[in-house]
Amino acid sequence: MDAASFEKLKENLWDFMQTEIYPNELLFFKQIEEIRHKGPAYWRQPPIIQQLQEKAKARGLFNLFLPVDSALKAGIKGGGLTNLQYADCCEIMGTANHAEFAAEACNCSSPDTGNMEVLARFGTEEQKKQWLVPLLEGKIRSAYAMTEPAVASSDATNIRTSIQRDGDHYVINGRKHWITGAANIDCKILILMGRTSSEEKTYRQQSQILVPMDTPGITLVRPMHVFADDDCPKGHMEILFEDVRVPASNMLWGEGRGFEIAQLRLGPGRIHHCMRMIGQSERALSLMCLRANERTAFGQKLAEMGSITQQIAECRAEIDQSRFLIREAADRMDRLGNTDPYTRKLLSLVKASVPAMTQKVVDRSMQVHGGLGVSQDTFLPMAFAGARALRWADGPDEVHWRTAGKLEMAYQLKESKLYPIGRYVHDTSKPFRAKL
């Protein structure tokens, strides 16, 4: 999108946030509580989301997430944005409470965005018609089933859910958990990662397959709670798959391509979360400054105390550092794709550092608020829980740091112009003082 049009789009989005999102946050939570009280059969997006989606469509704010290249590959209309441009929009949407409230209103929330990109890139024409189109229209929801309770799923080679060929079908058996979005009764399709072979090379044993939610043999066992929150109506579900039969044509991109799809899906999807975290951090800092400017203790405003002003400055530095890192990663994704080694390193650095930064900023804001900071009178408790959970929800920090470190070592060994310089070698043949 050209620069002038993009600035107008951002103004439009900010106006949407000010007039439609922030004023409706408490209503959003109230309606969710009503849905929770009615029971699992009523778990779907609350009425306010449905109303806001229509307003977002009318404003041209729907499906902003779908980048130009994916839209072109699928032959569909996306938001017309690059990843770099979407970073700005995602940050703006991320200032909402819940962090994905505005994203849901604009059909830009997880896990649907990643799933739609997978379908756009790897789905057949029939699969796009059946699943991608209604997802883009906001008529259905989806989920992504990867994590398993029995194994350390941060190492996806451990995945044990079996996908076995049986004539014209595949039969799926296994147990998954933390499957976000699967509790929503409008969730109609899962993308499941499982094992199709134990004989192939390590990274060719896993595949991804489309599993309609109404397929016999699927049991939603329970929603997993995050700090005692069931995240109604999306839910992070434990799911049992018992002899679940789906057509062989549901296999995405062929057997053994699971890791390739996962890398192409999880790069953009995870950076979207981090873009939203910048928005959460900005709101926490603004709230911190408001509190510091309003509150007086020991004869002076908190904003006049050196320790508080230093913390405010540290928050600004850390937020901007993270934003610059995200923007560089997004720009390289646009120019070089997310399989470029340096881009992959940046994506790992973003995923490892940004949620931790957000958690720190929100924690400082909480401290300035005192007891109010952990109460229902601010958005801070939910922001803190969201940032903390993100440090493992999309892979633990340690895995992202490990990936970034390995890529950095490879870069130093192969490309760095400074690595070969090494240390100084001094002439030590003449001692400083001869032995007496």
Side-chain angles (χ1 to χ4, degrees), residues 231-249:
D231 203 18
C232 172
K234 290 177 81 169
H236 308 285
M237 302 304 294
E238 180 177 340
I239 306 179
L240 180 62
F241 298 86
E242 297 176 292
D243 294 328
V244 176
R245 298 179 66 87
V246 298
S249 58

Side-chain angles (χ1 to χ4, degrees), residues 130-333:
Q130 185 176 7
W131 305 116
L132 178 58
V133 171
L135 279 167
L136 287 168
E137 292 173 348
K139 293 180 178 178
I140 66 170
R141 306 304 301 271
S142 65
Y144 185 72
M146 180 174 176
T147 305
E148 298 181 2
V151 297
S153 304
S154 55
D155 177 1
T157 62
N158 287 332
I159 297 298
R160 289 296 180 266
T161 294
S162 67
I163 307 174
Q164 296 298 318
R165 185 72 181 252
D166 182 20
D168 293 334
H169 289 79
Y170 284 99
V171 181
I172 301 165
N173 283 282
R175 187 181 294 266
K176 301 283 188 178
H177 70 167
W178 294 109
I179 310 308
T180 300
N184 190 318
I185 60 175
D186 292 320
C187 177
K188 303 301 183 183
I189 187 69
L190 281 170
I191 297 179
L192 179 140
M193 185 162 176
R195 184 182 293 268
T196 46
S197 171
S198 299
E199 308 301 323
E200 293 284 347
K201 294 180 180 178
T202 301
Y203 293 101
R204 295 284 295 182
Q205 295 180 6
Q206 310 289 345
S207 302
Q208 297 200 26
I209 193 166
L210 294 169
V211 183
M213 285 293 287
D214 60 358
T215 308
I218 297 176
T219 301
L220 300 184
V221 179
R222 57 173 178 159
M224 307 300 294
H225 290 196
V226 180
F227 296 121
D229 180 15
D230 59 10
D231 203 18
C232 172
K234 290 177 81 169
H236 308 285
M237 302 304 294
E238 180 177 340
I239 306 179
L240 180 62
F241 298 86
E242 297 176 292
D243 294 328
V244 176
R245 298 179 66 87
V246 298
S249 58
N250 283 22
M251 182 64 66
L252 287 168
W253 217 21
E255 286 191 18
R257 310 298 294 271
F259 271 92
E260 294 170 82
I261 296 173
Q263 288 306 311
L264 290 166
R265 178 193 187 278
L266 296 177
R270 285 172 176 170
I271 200 174
H272 291 175
H273 279 309
C274 293
M275 292 167 179
R276 279 188 287 270
M277 286 296 102
I278 298 296
Q280 294 280 283
S281 302
E282 287 286 6
R283 183 162 173 177
L285 176 56
S286 291
L287 201 57
M288 179 181 179
C289 291
L290 175 64
R291 180 70 167 180
N293 200 44
E294 290 179 339
R295 208 71 167 174
T296 298
F298 306 104
Q300 64 179 154
K301 287 185 175 182
L302 298 185
E304 296 170 348
M305 296 179 177
S307 61
I308 300 297
T309 55
Q310 178 175 332
Q311 288 180 41
I312 290 170
E314 289 175 353
C315 287
R316 170 49 59 211
E318 291 161 5
I319 293 170
D320 284 355
Q321 288 166 4
S322 293
R323 178 184 289 112
F324 293 148
L325 193 62
I326 286 173
R327 289 178 64 82
E328 183 179 2
D331 179 56
R332 290 186 67 94
M333 284 170 62

